């Protein structure tokens, strides 16, 4: 599933390639034909991400709301591009780029007020400037749910998915089953700082790279897929050499090191 860094990068790339002139919009698959007709020949004024939610505003006042969910993809090709293959819900086309959206859980047109209502229910986004983590701190420290589940709750912190939650908790030395209530102020501060830094790096690099180059012995730009994570889907801990364990938390498996993340 795409995590917050993917959606923020997507918004940036949409802004770079679809503005400022009117674009063409259509629904090759047909399921979004009416919506595409309303966007066709209007200009996108800005795309922005809130956690895993993507909003593209148009000069008509309409907002395209997209949530990719587990399997959705929104990918560009240079223009002009050949006819799409497969189930493309929406194609947006400028003079320089063609974007195909397929398999989203959400693709709808909403108003600015409806966007504001959705955003008000989303938690602090570590990738947005001036994002205030105090609400997230209070909700976490008041909760008896495991921190591993709280980090996936998009109404608390927006943008962390299954890979980042495992990596962040390992980096901060926090066992995923510890309750939110047991998280100290210092631990929360470290977790938030690390989240901001890691997700920003994810946007910059276009992939999740959480490991420290000094530990791996290679710069991040040259890391292989095997180098770039500490615990997610791994079997042996890079730090202590012990076995990585898994737990089912928040409905999904989480990987952690029982030695480096004591209960
Ligand atoms: Zn370890």
């Amino acid at each position: 599933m795409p995590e917050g860094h993917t959606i923020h990068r997507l918004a940036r790339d949409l802004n770079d390639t679809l503005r400022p002139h009117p674009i063409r919009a259509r629904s090759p698959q047909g399921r979004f034909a009416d919506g595409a007709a309303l966007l066709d020949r209007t200009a996108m004024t800005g795309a922005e991400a809130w956690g895993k939610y993507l909003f593209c505003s148009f000069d008509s006042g309409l907002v395209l709301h997209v949530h990719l969910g587990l399997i959705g993809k929104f990918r560009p090709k240079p223009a002009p591009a050949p006819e799409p293959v497969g189930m493309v819900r929406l194609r947006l086309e400028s003079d320089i780029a063609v974007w195909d959206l397929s398999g989203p859980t959400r693709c709808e047109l909403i108003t600015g007020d409806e966007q504001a209502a959705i955003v008000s229910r989303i938690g602090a986004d570590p990738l947005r400037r001036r994002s205030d983590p105090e609400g997230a701190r209070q909700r976490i420290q008041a909760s008896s749910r495991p921190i591993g589940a709280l980090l996936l709750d998009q109404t608390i912190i927006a943008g962390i998915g299954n890979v980042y939650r495992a990596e962040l908790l390992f980096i901060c030395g926090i066992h995923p089953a510890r309750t939110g209530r047991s998280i100290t102020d210092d631990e929360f501060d470290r977790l938030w700082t690390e989240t901001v830094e890691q997700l920003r790096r994810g946007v910059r690099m276009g992939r999740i790279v959480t490991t420290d180059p000094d530990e791996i012995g290679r710069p991040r730009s040259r890391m292989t897929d095997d180098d770039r994570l500490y615990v997610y889907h791994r079997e042996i801990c890079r730090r202590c050499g012990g076995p990585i364990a898994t737990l089912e938390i928040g409905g999904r498996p989480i990987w952690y090191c029982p030695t480096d993340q004591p209960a």
Side-chain angles (χ1 to χ4, degrees):
M1 176 189 259
E3 304 196 20
H5 69 296
T6 307
I7 311 303
H8 277 262
R9 191 176 168 113
L10 195 53
R12 192 181 76 185
D13 293 346
L14 285 162
N15 282 324
D16 287 347
T17 55
L18 292 182
R19 288 191 300 180
H21 305 297
I23 57 173
R24 302 307 309 264
R26 63 197 174 90
S27 177
Q29 168 206 45
R31 270 185 67 184
F32 192 60
D34 292 350
L38 290 169
L39 297 180
D40 191 36
R41 297 180 192 279
T42 66
M44 194 185 82
T45 52
E48 62 174 336
W50 283 87
K52 300 179 187 176
Y53 298 76
L54 176 70
F55 301 97
C56 304
S57 299
F58 287 80
D59 60 358
S60 60
L62 289 171
V63 179
L64 172 67
H65 171 214
V66 171
H67 196 290
L68 292 177
L70 278 171
I71 56 159
K73 294 196 169 45
F74 202 6
R75 292 196 173 146
K77 297 184 189 75
E83 276 304 296
V85 189
M87 301 303 243
V88 172
R89 184 85 53 92
L90 174 64
R91 171 172 275 202
L92 299 177
E93 186 163 2
S94 72
D95 287 345
I96 59 168
V98 174
W99 286 82
D100 285 338
L101 171 66
S102 59
T105 48
R106 276 292 169 106
C107 171
E108 60 181 1
L109 291 180
I110 59 175
T111 64
D113 286 347
E114 287 167 328
Q115 177 184 347
I118 294 169
V119 165
S120 72
R121 296 192 293 269
I122 303 175
D125 181 340
L127 284 171
R128 291 186 72 97
R129 263 172 274 151
R130 294 188 298 277
S131 191
D132 182 2
E134 287 316 306
R137 182 201 302 272
Q138 283 169 20
R139 294 244 341 245
I140 286 174
Q141 290 182 335
S143 176
S144 54
R145 291 163 65 202
I147 184 67
L150 293 165
L151 289 187
L152 283 188
D153 184 338
Q154 302 298 302
T155 70
I156 299 177
I157 296 178
I160 298 177
N162 211 27
V163 182
Y164 274 125
R165 78 160 171 169
E167 296 294 310
L168 288 164
L169 289 174
F170 175 82
I171 289 167
C172 296
I174 297 172
H175 191 287
R178 279 180 53 195
T179 62
R181 214 171 265 155
S182 78
I183 301 298
T184 65
D185 277 341
D186 283 352
E187 284 175 326
F188 179 84
D189 290 344
R190 169 99 200 274
L191 199 48
W192 179 259
T193 306
E194 227 15 271
T195 303
V196 171
E197 190 182 318
Q198 292 290 346
L199 267 71
R200 277 194 188 144
R201 183 185 304 146
V203 175
R204 213 165 50 236
M205 300 193 69
R207 59 179 191 160
I208 301 178
V209 182
T210 59
T211 46
D212 186 331
D214 290 343
E215 270 174 278
I216 302 298
R218 258 190 288 284
R220 289 197 179 95
S221 57
R222 294 204 356 248
M223 283 186 188
T224 65
D225 275 349
D226 190 52
D227 293 335
R228 64 195 178 87
L229 301 173
Y230 282 112
V231 286
Y232 181 77
H233 264 295
R234 297 189 64 83
E235 288 176 358
I236 302 294
C237 178
R238 294 184 188 281
R239 292 250 166 99
C240 69
I244 296 295
T246 58
L247 275 173
E248 183 90 1
I249 292 181
R252 304 180 67 189
I254 183 164
W255 287 258
Y256 69 102
C257 171
T259 305
D260 290 306
Q261 296 163 266

